[in-house]
């Protein structure tokens, strides 16, 4: 493709080519429209998830902090990354390089947030593994201090990996990203497989050695833990499915080079990645009764507060008003 050098502009590792943008402008419009739809529900659901995690006494555990980290990264995607991405698409369509450069830099912070989500989900898989295999030693292995240090380390490491884009070539960065993602997928897959094998073996032993009545409490606990493990497995699998198109696009860009078709595919695959931040809280609300109940309590409390405020505002007697306000009401009545 012959390109006029005057139409090619660079902003760090980003390339702005108006000729390629015009070829896929319809895809850009579609991607921007879908992104705009995702912004509000992503913010609302993740904020509600954070409040629900905070209010639920059943979820006051060290491992819950990992869900906090996941929800915070998702809400930042909705508050920062998705609006910046929408601005970036509009700037590309309007050929505004300055706005494109600034919004593009903000958008690529999403790579760091995606890294946080990936590492956090891997840590949750390891936590599930320890919960199944360590037994009574679990509380001594998984502590608040260790989980907090792990979360801080995850955010710092992801920030360092994000800045690597400014120092390494794009090909090397893509290879490094693919290697990290592959390692995380492998670790999480092994952990979940071992968890389900152990839980199934445990259930078979319980059913064989004891009667149902004497092991009802153990079975209920096993089923509850199995449901929780399945929930996090669903989150992890959907996360990988959402990132698979983007990963394929990145690999194609590394092999074939950047082009208009690659940019169009990257636009749509990025929106699918952002949609994962909306899907995560939906799955957690659907699969985890403790979070769902806490969310219902939060909504009912907020409704009762609004109803109480409206009743106070509408039914406040004149005797409760300040004398100056009474005079104003009387003057308004006379004037009307």
């Amino acid at each position: 493709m012959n390109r006029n050098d005057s139409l090619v502009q660079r902003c760090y590792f980003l390339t702005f080519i108006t000729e390629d943008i015009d070829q896929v402008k319809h895809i850009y419009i579609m991607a921007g429209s879908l992104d705009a739809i995702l912004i509000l529900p992503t913010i609302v659901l993740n904020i509600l998830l954070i409040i629900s995690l905070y209010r639920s006494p059943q979820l006051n555990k060290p491992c819950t902090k990992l869900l906090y980290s996941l929800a915070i990264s998702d809400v930042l995607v909705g508050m920062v990354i998705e609006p910046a991405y929408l601005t970036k698409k509009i700037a590309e369509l309007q050929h505004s390089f300055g706005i494109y450069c600034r919004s593009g830099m903000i958008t690529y912070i999403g790579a760091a947030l995606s890294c946080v989500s990936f590492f956090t989900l891997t840590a949750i898989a390891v936590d599930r593994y320890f919960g199944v295999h360590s037994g009574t030693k679990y509380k001594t292995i998984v502590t608040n201090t260790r989980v907090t240090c792990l979360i801080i380390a995850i955010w710092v490491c992801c920030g360092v990996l994000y800045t690597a884009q400014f120092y390494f070539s794009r090909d090397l960065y893509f290879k490094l990203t693919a290697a990290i993602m592959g390692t995380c997928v492998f670790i999480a897959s092994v952990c979940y497989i071992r968890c389900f094998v152990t839980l199934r073996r445990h259930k078979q032993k319980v059913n064989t050695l004891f009667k149902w009545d004497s092991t009802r409490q153990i079975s209920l606990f096993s089923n509850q833990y199995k449901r929780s493990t399945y929930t996090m497995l669903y989150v992890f699998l959907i996360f990988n499915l959402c990132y698979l198109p983007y990963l394929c696009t990145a690999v194609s860009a590394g092999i074939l080079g950047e082009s208009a078709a690659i940019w169009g595919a990257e636009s749509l695959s990025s929106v699918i990645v952002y949609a994962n931040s909306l899907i995560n809280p939906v799955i957690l609300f659907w699969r985890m009764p403790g979070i769902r109940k806490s969310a219902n309590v939060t909504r009912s409390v907020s409704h009762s507060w609004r109803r109480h405020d409206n009743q106070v505002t509408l039914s406040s007697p004149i005797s409760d008003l300040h004398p100056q306000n009474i005079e104003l009401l009387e003057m308004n009545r006379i004037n009307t």
Side-chain angles (χ1 to χ4, degrees), residues 28-329:
Y28 279 21
I29 293 173
M30 183 187 303
S33 301
L34 294 174
D35 179 73
I37 295 173
L38 294 174
I39 294 175
L40 183 59
T42 300
I43 296 173
V44 172
L45 286 180
N46 280 287
I47 290 178
L48 183 60
L49 176 60
I50 293 172
I51 296 174
S52 301
L53 290 172
Y54 177 77
R55 288 180 176 272
S56 178
Q58 299 176 354
L59 301 172
N60 189 17
K61 303 175 183 177
C63 59
T64 307
K65 292 185 177 181
L66 295 172
L67 293 179
Y68 272 116
S69 178
L70 182 64
I72 290 172
S73 64
D74 286 339
V75 78
L76 287 176
V77 169
M79 288 182 172
V80 179
I81 306 304
E82 290 178 354
Y85 182 80
L86 179 60
T87 304
K88 176 173 174 281
K89 291 294 115 180
I90 295 174
E92 286 176 311
L93 292 172
Q94 295 181 348
H95 297 174
S96 178
F97 176 74
I99 298 177
Y100 164 82
C101 182
R102 291 189 293 271
S103 59
M105 288 295 100
I106 297 174
T107 299
Y108 273 85
I109 298 176
L113 296 177
S114 300
C115 176
V116 170
S117 299
F118 220 111
F119 283 175
T120 302
L121 290 173
T122 305
I124 291 174
V126 176
D127 170 75
R128 299 291 91 183
Y129 175 83
F130 282 130
V132 172
H133 292 86
S134 60
T136 56
K137 296 181 180 179
Y138 173 77
K139 292 184 178 180
T140 60
I141 297 175
V142 182
T143 62
N144 281 313
T145 302
R146 290 179 179 177
V147 172
T148 302
C149 292
L150 176 63
I151 292 173
I152 294 174
I154 287 175
W155 282 82
V156 171
C157 289
C158 291
V160 172
L161 288 175
Y162 166 72
T163 58
Q165 297 180 92
F166 297 94
Y167 304 103
F168 299 127
S169 64
R170 296 282 281 175
D171 293 339
L172 180 59
Y173 179 77
F174 284 142
K175 292 178 181 178
L176 179 63
T177 302
I180 293 174
M181 292 177 67
T183 303
C184 290
V185 170
F186 176 77
I187 293 174
S189 300
V190 171
C191 289
Y192 281 122
I193 291 173
R194 294 288 300 274
C195 284
F196 290 124
V197 170
T198 303
L199 286 172
R200 185 175 182 180
R201 189 181 304 162
H202 173 73
K203 184 177 180 180
Q204 291 175 350
K205 287 182 179 180
V206 169
N207 292 334
T208 302
L209 297 177
F210 302 99
K211 294 181 180 179
W212 164 251
D213 292 337
S214 62
T215 60
R216 184 175 182 181
Q217 186 175 1
I218 298 176
S219 298
L220 288 174
F221 173 78
S222 178
N223 291 334
Q224 183 179 3
Y225 199 87
K226 186 176 181 180
R227 180 181 178 87
S228 175
T229 304
Y230 265 115
T231 299
M232 299 317 303
L233 176 62
Y234 292 156
V235 172
F236 185 76
L237 290 177
I238 292 177
F239 180 89
N240 284 287
L241 289 176
C242 289
Y243 274 77
L244 182 61
Y246 187 85
L247 181 61
C248 294
T249 303
V251 173
S252 300
I255 297 175
L256 303 176
E258 298 185 18
S259 63
I262 293 294
W263 284 10
E266 185 268 342
S267 298
L268 292 178
S269 60
S270 296
V271 176
I272 297 175
V273 168
Y274 300 151
N276 180 254
S277 297
L278 174 61
I279 297 173
N280 285 339
V282 172
I283 296 176
L284 293 176
F285 282 127
W286 167 48
R287 293 283 302 178
M288 300 184 72
I291 297 178
R292 188 167 60 249
K293 290 179 181 178
S294 180
N296 292 332
V297 171
T298 301
R299 287 191 304 171
S300 62
V301 169
S302 62
H303 287 320
S304 63
W305 282 352
R306 285 199 297 266
R307 191 180 303 112
H308 179 266
D309 292 339
N310 291 334
Q311 289 176 354
V312 170
T313 302
L314 295 175
S315 62
S316 296
I318 297 181
S319 60
D320 293 339
L321 296 176
H322 193 273
Q324 186 177 2
N325 293 334
I326 297 176
E327 293 179 3
L328 292 174
L329 290 174

